[in-house]
C-alpha cells in the first residue's frame, strides 16, 4: 500500500472463499493497484507469488472470479475500490 | 416472492402457506426441500457446514428467481437457503413456487434448483470419519442446468 | 408410501416429514399440492365438490404409485386426495416424493400428478353464480400424461 | 330379474358415476344377464332404452367403462356377479 492521500481508491479488496480461503490461509486482503486493471492481471500477479497461490489460481483450475458480486471473466475491468472475489465451484442446495 | 439466507431451520409448510395466502388464482404449489444425506460418495457424513458469500449470494439467488419468473408463468417464488452447521436429515434449502397450473410451477421449481446448484455461491464442507473435506461440484449438476438452454458464459474463462 | 382418500384436510409438512422420517438416504423431498382456484374457465367458483368411485379409485392411485416407483429411482411416495365439498384456497391433493437426488424425485412427483389427472376416478362439480356444473376434462391433461410415453389403451374404445 | 335360484349369479351390478349418475337419474342397478357377456353388449342394451341412455352412452361419447374396478374396453368379458361401472372423463387432482 502506498502512503498517498488517495489510499482508499488505490486498493482493491480481494476475497477468498471456502476451499480457496483455507488453501491460501487468508479470507481477504487489500491489494494495491496503480489504477484501472483487469481480473486477469490481478490473478496473474497472485500466481506469481508461487506456492499455494500458483497451485490454486493457475489457469485451468476451476476458479470463478466475481467483481463487485457479479461473475466476471479474465478481461473484466477492475477499478480501485472494487471487490474481487475468488470462488471455488459452488456446491450448495 | 423472496430470497432468504439463514442459520435457523424453516417450516416449509408455513412458508408455502404464506406464499399462497390470499392468492386464489393459485391451483398448484410445488416445493422442493433439500436435506442432508448421511452418506456422500460412499463415506458417512457426520455434519455438513455451509458457507456463503454475503452480498453476492443474495444477488445470485434473486437473479435466479427473476429469470425463473421471466421464463415461467408462475405467481410467487420463495427460496430459503440455510448456512452454518447441519446434521444428516436437516433441511438445507427450500424452493416453493405457486402458480395457476402445475406444469409451469414444476418447471420453475426445478429450474431454480438446477441454477442454484451451479450459480449460487454456497459451499459445503463435510465432516467424515476420515476428516473434513470440501464437497466437489458435480458434473451432473452442470448438465441439469444446461438442460434449460441458458448461456454457460457465467462459468468464466 | 401410501395412498389415502379422505374428507379431512391434510398437513402437507407433517406428511412430508413422516415420509422421510428415519430415512437418511433422502436428499430431496418434492411436494405438489393442488388447491381450489376461485376462477375456472372464466367463471367465479364458490365451492367445489369432489366425488370418487370407492374401491376403484384407491386401486387406480396404487397402480399409479407402483408405476412411478418402477420408472423412477425414488425412496417413498405418498398420495392424499380429498373428497367432499371444498372452498377456494383449500388443498385438494398432495403428492409427496422422497429420493436420494432431486431429478428423479421431481420426475416421479410430476408423473404421479399427470397420471392421476387422467386415470384416477375423481370428478369435480363446481358451484358458480350461473349454477352447478361438472368440470370438463382438459385436453392439456391428456397431453401431459402422454408425454411420459405410456400406452393410452386405458382410454378404452 | 328372473326368479331362478341362481339369482345372485345371473345379474351384473351396474354403477353410474358423477355426471352420468345425474343424467341417468340413478347411481346403480341390478342388470339381468343370461350368462357371460361383454361390456359392448351391455352398453348396447342400455343405449336401446333411448332417451338419456342413448344420449349419454352413445358410441363416440367420452365414457369409460370399468369391470370390477379395472378399466375395460368394449370386448372385455363380463360374467354374472361382476360390477360394471360407467365413468365420465376424470377431473380430479
Amino acid at each position: 500500500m502506498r502512503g498517498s492521500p488517495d489510499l482508499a481508491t488505490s486498493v482493491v479488496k480481494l476475497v477468498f472463499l471456502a476451499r480457496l480461503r483455507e488453501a491460501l490461509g487468508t479470507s481477504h486482503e487489500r491489494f494495491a493497484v496503480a489504477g484501472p486493471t483487469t481480473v486477469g492481471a490481478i490473478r496473474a500477479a497472485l500466481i506469481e507469488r508461487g506456492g499455494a497461490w500458483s497451485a490454486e489460481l493457475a489457469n485451468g483450475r476451476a476458479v470463478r472470479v466475481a467483481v463487485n458480486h457479479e461473475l466476471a471473466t479474465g478481461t473484466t475491468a477492475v477499478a480501485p475500490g472494487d471487490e474481487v472475489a475468488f470462488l471455488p465451484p459452488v456446491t450448495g442446495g | 416472492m423472496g430470497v432468504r439466507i439463514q442459520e435457523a431451520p424453516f417450516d416449509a409448510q408455513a412458508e408455502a402457506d404464506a406464499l399462497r395466502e390470499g392468492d386464489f388464482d393459485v391451483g398448484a404449489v410445488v416445493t422442493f426441500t433439500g436435506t442432508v444425506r448421511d452418506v456422500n460418495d460412499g463415506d458417512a457424513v457426520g455434519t455438513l457446514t455451509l458457507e456463503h458469500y454475503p452480498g453476492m449470494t443474495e444477488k445470485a439467488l434473486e437473479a435466479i428467481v427473476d429469470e425463473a419468473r421471466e421464463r415461467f408463468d408462475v405467481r410467487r417464488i420463495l427460496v430459503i437457503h440455510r448456512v452454518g452447521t447441519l446434521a444428516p436429515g436437516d433441511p438445507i434449502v427450500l424452493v416453493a413456487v405457486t402458480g395457476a397450473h402445475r406444469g409451469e410451477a414444476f418447471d420453475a421449481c426445478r429450474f431454480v434448483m438446477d441454477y442454484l446448484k451451479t450459480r449460487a455461491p454456497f459451499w459445503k464442507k463435510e465432516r467424515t470419519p476420515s476428516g473434513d473435506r470440501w464437497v466437489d461440484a458435480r458434473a451432473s449438476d452442470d448438465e441439469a442446468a444446461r438442460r434449460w438452454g441458458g448461456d454457460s458464459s457465467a462459468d468464466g474463462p
Side-chain angles (χ1 to χ4, degrees), chain A, chain B:
Chain A
M1 281 179 273
R2 301 177 306 174
S4 74
D6 57 340
L7 174 75
T9 58
S10 63
V11 295
V12 166
K13 182 180 183 185
L14 304 186
V15 177
F16 307 101
L17 280 300
R19 187 180 54 72
L20 282 174
R21 181 190 64 246
E22 291 191 351
L24 301 175
T26 183
S27 64
H28 61 279
E29 70 171 74
R30 290 163 65 83
F31 183 86
V33 291
T37 178
T38 66
V39 165
I42 293 174
R43 185 167 175 172
L46 296 176
I47 289 170
E48 286 205 354
R49 292 174 178 179
W53 297 90
S54 73
E56 294 294 334
L57 301 179
N59 292 318
R61 293 301 304 265
V63 172
R64 295 181 190 185
V65 183
V67 176
N68 298 332
H69 298 157
E70 300 278 0
L71 282 177
T73 67
T75 57
T76 300
V78 176
D82 283 349
E83 179 166 314
V84 178
F86 293 81
L87 298 73
V90 305
T91 56
Chain B
M1 175 175 157
V3 156
R4 299 206 316 256
I5 297 168
Q6 62 188 43
E7 294 207 9
F10 49 77
D11 178 338
Q13 185 58 26
E15 299 292 349
D17 285 348
L19 201 64
R20 71 186 182 87
E21 171 113 48
D23 189 357
F24 293 102
D25 194 36
V26 168
V29 183
V30 176
T31 72
F32 173 87
T33 307
T35 54
V36 182
R37 297 175 65 205
D38 65 355
V39 171
N40 192 25
D41 291 336
D43 291 310
V45 173
T47 60
L48 193 67
T49 301
L50 270 141
E51 173 178 333
H52 75 304
Y53 177 18
M56 179 171 180
T57 306
E58 292 83 348
K59 275 175 74 169
L61 291 179
E62 279 159 15
I64 291 166
V65 168
D66 286 347
E67 189 163 347
R69 289 179 60 81
E70 216 162 277
R71 285 177 177 239
F72 306 104
D73 181 15
V74 294
R75 304 282 302 177
R76 296 177 188 154
I77 300 177
L78 170 72
V79 179
I80 302 177
H81 202 298
R82 293 176 72 191
V83 291
T85 298
L86 305 175
D90 284 351
I92 304 171
V93 60
L94 171 70
V95 178
V97 178
T98 65
H101 303 292
R102 72 186 181 286
E104 302 270 316
F106 269 117
D107 278 342
C109 188
R110 192 164 182 165
F111 173 89
V112 168
M113 270 311 299
D114 286 349
Y115 271 47
L116 186 157
K117 282 269 187 183
T118 53
R119 296 199 180 174
F122 289 102
W123 298 274
K124 282 177 185 155
K125 193 177 192 177
E126 295 172 339
R127 173 148 295 180
T128 76
S130 46
D132 290 358
R133 66 180 183 199
W134 291 96
V135 174
D136 278 332
R138 285 181 192 277
S140 61
D141 286 331
D142 286 332
E143 279 158 34
R146 265 198 300 273
R147 153 185 119 83
W148 296 102
D151 75 295
S152 58
S153 65
D155 287 351

